[in-house]
Amino acid sequence: FLKSEKIRERMDAYDELKEEYNNCQRCPKLCKSRAQVVFGSGNKHAKILFIGEAPGANEDKQGIPFCGASGQVLNQLLESVGLSREDIFITNTILCRPEKNRNPEKEEIENCLGRLDKILEIMQPKVIVTIGNFATERIIKKKGITSIHGKVFPYKHAVVIPVIHPANFLYQGRNPQLFEQMKKDFEGIAEQVNKKTLIEL
Ligand code: URA
């Protein structure tokens, strides 16, 4: 079985999944509040998967996860450890922007669960970074990001590292101490990444 065939199969599966969710109608409220489905962005071959919470206003407009203020903080954190958005793939716990950025509802998270599982299956990431409580709870069934951020959890053939959501940092008036803490967690991510293969073709 040729490797290139495997890649093609994987990318076909990705395209099919994206197509399937492009006009998703599972969540009535989200169908009304969203401008578009924000499926994901970055390197589809990356072995590092970041999972956020939900698209915000900018993301909803541009169709790209983490392209607003939180995204800028995320980019800085990645840069601080020599990573870029091209080294990772990034998606969210739910693909559609909730009205006024309210929290995703349980049912909405469940409706988007099969999609996230399929992304994991297709991409086979080695390092999974869950950003904030919603993604963390969804993946490793643990609550309390303030106490577990930066820790490394085994997950199938991968590891999961929960991190504090950049939005928290913004709410706290860009507290420099918090930023240092967040940078430390990203050093931990880079350490895990260096142990694994970044891109597997
Ligand atoms: N916050 C998130 O959780 N996801 C985004 O895509 C943007 C902001």
Side-chain angles (χ1 to χ4, degrees):
F1 201 65
L2 285 171
K3 261 194 171 172
S4 59
E5 267 176 62
K6 237 182 186 169
I7 295 167
R8 202 175 328 117
E9 262 184 22
R10 221 194 291 147
M11 286 308 108
D12 286 350
Y14 174 93
D15 290 342
E16 267 171 41
L17 189 65
K18 189 171 177 187
E19 181 68 31
E20 185 192 331
Y21 278 84
N22 233 354
N23 192 25
C24 180
Q25 304 286 326
R26 286 172 181 81
C27 308
K29 280 189 236 167
L30 294 178
C31 283
K32 282 197 195 123
S33 57
R34 78 179 182 216
Q36 61 183 313
V37 173
V38 183
F39 191 77
S41 82
N43 188 334
K44 287 185 272 182
H45 300 284
K47 292 289 152 185
I48 316 166
L49 176 68
F50 277 64
I51 308 168
E53 184 178 311
N58 289 297
E59 289 77 19
D60 187 56
K61 235 178 253 156
Q62 294 187 43
I64 301 164
F66 285 93
C67 65
S70 284
Q72 279 175 11
V73 177
L74 176 69
N75 292 349
Q76 278 177 23
L77 290 163
L78 286 168
E79 238 172 70
S80 75
V81 295
L83 290 169
S84 81
R85 292 284 285 259
E86 268 311 297
D87 297 315
I88 68 168
F89 188 80
I90 188 159
T91 185
N92 281 302
T93 305
I94 62 167
L95 296 183
C96 304
R97 184 193 182 201
E99 195 180 14
K100 295 179 189 147
N101 298 344
R102 64 162 168 81
N103 286 340
E105 289 175 2
K106 213 173 169 197
E107 199 181 323
E108 291 165 350
I109 295 171
E110 266 161 33
N111 286 344
C112 228
L113 204 136
R115 181 267 326 172
L116 193 48
D117 284 339
K118 276 195 194 142
I119 277 287
L120 288 165
E121 197 184 306
I122 293 166
M123 297 190 63
Q124 303 274 327
K126 295 279 199 310
V127 178
I128 301 164
V129 180
T130 52
I131 308 171
N133 265 318
F134 283 94
T136 303
E137 201 181 336
R138 163 67 187 88
I139 300 293
I140 55 168
K141 317 264 189 290
K142 283 189 199 302
K143 288 186 188 188
I145 194 71
T146 42
S147 56
I148 63 170
H149 67 89
K151 292 191 176 151
V152 181
F153 297 89
Y155 180 87
K156 297 178 187 171
H157 300 294
V159 293
V160 173
I161 304 173
V163 297
I164 290 165
H165 200 297
N168 266 42
F169 169 68
L170 296 174
Y171 290 141
Q172 291 188 34
R174 298 177 181 265
N175 178 343
Q177 267 170 321
L178 181 58
F179 194 66
E180 285 311 306
Q181 218 174 36
M182 291 166 87
K183 278 209 289 205
K184 277 215 180 84
D185 291 347
F186 272 69
E187 281 165 23
I189 293 167
E191 200 180 301
Q192 290 301 317
V193 167
N194 289 333
K195 285 188 190 170
K196 323 242 176 206
T197 335
L198 259 187
I199 296 172
E200 198 177 79
L201 291 177

